[in-house]
Amino acid sequence: MSTLPWDDVITVAPDDAEKYLALQRSAAFARLRSRSRRYLVSMTALFLGMFAITVALAGWMPESLAVSVFGHVNLGMLFAVGLIVLPVIITAVHLFYAGRRLDPLAERIREEFERNRR
């Protein structure tokens, strides 16, 4: 007997299990996962790329980050602020993208699944 915490919570009737597997193999579900994965990978690459550039510049070319942009603000400060602001921008873009591209498709998939499940 398994001791996983969710073993007692998730129970699927044998006839429902095949319906869930069919849903997982459906073209609409594959499209939803593809859209979600494409967004996730691209935004992760964007943030990690900016982070890597910041670390590389700080490690190998620190004088480039010391270049004054205006007043007492230098390029390093702008990169640091960018690393703080970028996740907020990514979150806002995600909310917009999910609301227009992911949620409607997920809702259609759920409605169709519930209709076929009865």
Side-chain angles (χ1 to χ4, degrees), residues 82-100:
L83 287 173
I84 294 169
V85 172
L86 187 59
V88 174
I89 293 170
I90 289 173
T91 301
V93 169
H94 174 70
L95 290 173
F96 179 77
Y97 179 77
R100 296 198 48 158

Side-chain angles (χ1 to χ4, degrees), residues 60-105:
W60 287 292
M61 297 175 54
E63 64 280 353
S64 67
L65 294 178
V67 172
S68 181
V69 178
F70 55 88
H72 294 292
V73 177
N74 62 25
L75 199 55
M77 294 169 117
L78 293 180
F79 268 90
V81 169
L83 287 173
I84 294 169
V85 172
L86 187 59
V88 174
I89 293 170
I90 289 173
T91 301
V93 169
H94 174 70
L95 290 173
F96 179 77
Y97 179 77
R100 296 198 48 158
R101 303 279 296 179
L102 300 177
D103 293 345
L105 180 57

Side-chain angles (χ1 to χ4, degrees), residues 39-52 86 90:
Y39 175 81
L40 175 68
V41 168
S42 62
M43 291 299 124
T44 300
L46 173 68
F47 181 77
L48 290 178
M50 182 167 175
F51 182 77
L86 187 59
I90 289 173

Side-chain angles (χ1 to χ4, degrees), residues 22-35:
L23 170 68
Q24 186 179 1
R25 290 186 293 258
S26 71
F29 191 76
R31 188 169 45 254
L32 177 64
R33 285 183 49 98
S34 173
R35 286 180 184 177

